[in-house]
């Protein structure tokens, strides 16, 4: 398993150096932000003028809607049904705008943290045993394998030299 963790570290380093990690992360966060905006602007859109529905039927001003529910059942007038609908729209707006805002913050963090100019890992204060250059960097690497409901984690601090030298080693924390 140690070779698998080392291979993963090499893959993560190369991925980051190419800038693809940053693009992928920002795209994923952007998609989640878009879903949040959809929830806020479409599902959560205020709509106080459309007649409410009761059990799938459009209500008139004279109707009373009886709702049987363990939490907050009862009889509701036309305007009370509009209020109920609008307060659930409001919840969707909070969730949607909240999610979108959080994703924008994460996108900012990812933009800085996954900058390809920031090298993978931390420098090691020793020369490489193979090429004798001070080019070693190390980083904690975790490889997870999921079998059904159990996840096994294999981790270690991987030390890598530059790709030309190719020296790699792993140690436990
Ligand atoms: Zn080396």
């Amino acid at each position: 398993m140690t070779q698998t963790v080392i291979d993963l570290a090499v893959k993560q380093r190369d991925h980051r150096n190419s800038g693809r990690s940053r693009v992928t992360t920002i795209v994923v966060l952007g998609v989640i932000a878009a879903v949040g905006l959809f929830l806020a602007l479409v599902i959560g859109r205020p709509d106080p003028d459309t007649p409410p529905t009761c059990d799938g039927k459009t209500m008139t001003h004279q109707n009373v809607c009886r709702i049987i529910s363990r939490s907050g059942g009862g009889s509701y007038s036309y305007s009370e049904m509009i209020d109920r609908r609008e307060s659930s729209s409001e919840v969707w707006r909070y969730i949607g705008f909240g999610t979108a805002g959080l994703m924008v913050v994460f996108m900012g963090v990812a933009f800085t943290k996954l900058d390809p100019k920031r090298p993978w890992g931390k420098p090691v204060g020793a020369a490489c045993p193979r090429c004798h250059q001070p080019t070693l960097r190390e980083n904690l690497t975790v490889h997870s394998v999921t079998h059904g409901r159990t996840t096994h984690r294999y981790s270690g601090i991987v030390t890598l030299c530059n790709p030309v030298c190719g020296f790699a080693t792993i140690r436990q924390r």
Side-chain angles (χ1 to χ4, degrees):
M1 211 26 97
T2 58
Q3 190 55 47
T4 312
V5 179
I6 289 174
D7 291 346
L8 179 67
V10 171
K11 217 173 93 184
Q12 287 173 348
R13 180 195 61 189
D14 297 348
H15 204 71
R16 164 190 282 244
N17 290 354
S18 72
R20 274 178 295 154
S21 304
R22 182 162 77 172
V23 172
T24 311
T25 307
I26 287 177
V27 166
V28 169
L29 295 173
V31 168
I32 300 170
V35 171
L37 286 181
F38 175 82
L39 291 177
L41 300 174
V42 179
I43 311 287
R45 189 172 62 95
D47 186 21
D49 299 325
T50 302
T53 56
C54 181
D55 198 19
K57 288 194 258 327
T58 303
M59 288 177 75
T60 66
H61 285 276
Q62 290 75 39
N63 288 154
V64 167
C65 190
R66 282 188 63 80
I67 293 175
I68 298 156
S69 161
R70 220 175 289 173
S71 56
S75 299
Y76 296 92
S77 68
Y78 183 92
S79 64
E80 285 170 336
M81 285 304 282
I82 288 184
D83 291 346
R84 274 172 74 93
R85 188 183 63 201
E86 293 309 303
S87 63
S88 84
S89 298
E90 196 182 354
V91 171
W92 283 114
R93 287 200 293 279
Y94 281 126
I95 294 172
F97 285 130
T99 304
L102 200 61
M103 291 309 123
V104 169
V105 172
F106 287 170
M107 283 161 92
V109 173
F111 190 83
T112 322
K113 283 259 178 191
L114 298 177
D115 189 339
K117 287 190 211 80
R118 280 167 68 118
W120 174 91
K122 292 186 291 289
V124 177
C128 170
R130 189 182 290 171
C131 67
H132 309 292
Q133 297 300 309
T135 41
L136 293 179
R137 300 187 72 87
E138 63 178 23
N139 201 21
L140 173 68
T141 304
V142 183
H143 173 61
S144 311
V145 184
T146 306
H147 289 294
R149 302 175 81 175
T150 45
T151 300
H152 298 277
R153 285 168 185 280
Y154 305 92
S155 69
I157 295 169
V158 177
T159 305
L160 299 176
C161 192
N162 61 45
V164 179
C165 165
F167 174 80
T169 185
I170 185 168
R171 69 175 196 276
Q172 292 308 311
R173 269 178 282 185

